[in-house]
Amino acid sequence: MRFSARAWVLGLAAVLLLTATASAAEVRVMISGGLTAAYNALVPEFERATGHKVVTAYGPSMGTTVNAIPVRLERGEPADVLIMVGYALGDLAKQGKVIPESSVDLVKSPIGVAVKSGAPKPDISSAEPLKRALQAAKTIAYSDSASGVYVSTEMFAKLGIADEMKDKARKIPATPVGEIVARGEAEIGFQQISELRPVSGIDIVGPLPDELQKITVFSAGIASVSKEAEAGKALIKYLTSPAARPTIVNSGMEPIAASAMN
């Protein structure tokens, strides 16, 4: 997709207008893996445009690993903006850890299939050949976040192979699945395409077939403990602007048109 320079300028102008009356701030962000590649490319431009400094902590949207966003918040780590799986952000809002009216859906992210670079690519054109590929594989890996929850608790069951997968498929905590596949520790890996793309040493076979695909929505919101809420809103505004759209699309996700934030 091609986007005009005018659209880019308009998107950046929206951010500048939003922050024109605010002094430079340090914005603390907690973000899960799905949006990370696009986010890392966009943050430097946001910092240059606004004068704000962004400090980022990375971790999964759920789970009990030390870096998981809910765990970070529970132990009192500071945060202004949370960027994570939408339903997990909603759970935090119910717990009073996110300002509810600040939540914005950012992107839709499909699950992809990866193999080690140079390995034969299985047929994943529909459910039946994917099922055969999984039955033939000796080792399978999936993430400990939203995509992995779906693959392990729903997709295997839909394919009728849940019992067969118990001994060969494993959840990978706090590590990109692509890295496990690249090291040869799993023949087939499942994770959001946006999380597979930055990993070297793998080939992305493609997205799951339509009848098995599960789209994950990643959302952003202002943490209830935020000390820089206005600067945090400016960052979220930028991530939904025309200026950010090409980078998000190139990372393998579909931007969601967001309504104006309060």
Side-chain angles (χ1 to χ4, degrees):
M1 299 177 66
R2 299 184 63 185
F3 298 85
S4 68
R6 180 174 179 274
W8 188 94
V9 170
L10 287 173
L12 194 55
V15 175
L16 292 172
L17 285 171
L18 190 60
T19 58
T21 59
S23 58
E26 185 173 84
V27 185
R28 294 187 173 272
V29 177
M30 293 183 184
I31 183 170
S32 62
L35 201 64
T36 297
Y39 167 87
N40 287 341
L42 291 167
V43 160
E45 189 58 46
F46 171 79
E47 290 179 322
R48 285 191 291 270
T50 64
H52 297 320
K53 177 177 173 57
V54 179
V55 178
T56 307
Y58 301 91
S61 297
M62 58 200 72
T64 58
T65 58
V66 66
N67 289 331
I69 291 175
V71 175
R72 287 182 180 275
L73 292 173
E74 194 63 34
R75 64 172 175 256
E77 289 191 24
D80 298 299
V81 177
L82 307 177
I83 302 173
M84 56 197 294
V85 172
Y87 66 78
L89 186 74
D91 288 343
L92 292 178
K94 292 175 184 176
Q95 297 169 29
K97 296 179 180 179
V98 177
I99 299 172
E101 62 270 20
S102 71
S103 297
V104 175
D105 291 337
L106 299 176
V107 299
K108 297 177 182 178
S109 181
I111 299 172
V113 181
V115 297
K116 185 178 177 65
S117 290
K121 293 182 179 180
D123 182 356
I124 62 168
S125 58
S126 64
E128 192 56 35
L130 175 60
K131 175 181 176 177
R132 291 195 295 268
L134 294 175
Q135 290 173 317
K138 293 184 174 65
T139 51
I140 297 160
Y142 55 88
S143 80
D144 65 344
S145 196
S147 62
V149 171
Y150 166 71
V151 166
S152 60
T153 64
E154 295 185 48
M155 191 189 80
F156 291 156
K158 286 181 180 179
L159 292 172
I161 56 173
D163 289 340
E164 295 177 64
M165 295 298 105
K166 287 179 180 178
D167 294 330
K168 65 167 72 176
R170 64 188 179 107
K171 178 171 68 176
I172 307 300
T175 301
V177 168
E179 293 183 10
I180 301 300
V181 174
R183 294 201 294 262
E185 296 174 19
E187 292 178 31
I188 296 175
F190 295 96
Q191 197 160 23
Q192 259 87 29
I193 289 176
S194 61
E195 295 183 70
L196 293 171
R197 280 193 178 180
V199 180
S200 59
I202 64 171
D203 291 330
I204 299 176
V205 184
L208 285 176
D210 290 344
E211 64 267 36
L212 294 174
Q213 184 60 261
K214 175 78 169 180
I215 300 295
T216 298
V217 173
F218 285 89
S219 306
I222 302 298
S224 299
V225 296
S226 173
K227 295 181 178 179
E228 298 290 351
E230 291 306 311
K233 289 179 181 179
L235 175 59
I236 296 174
K237 186 74 173 179
Y238 178 65
L239 294 175
T240 62
S241 71
R245 186 178 178 87
T247 300
I248 289 172
V249 171
N250 288 339
S251 72
M253 296 176 294
E254 178 187 344
I256 297 173
S259 59
M261 292 181 61
N262 294 328

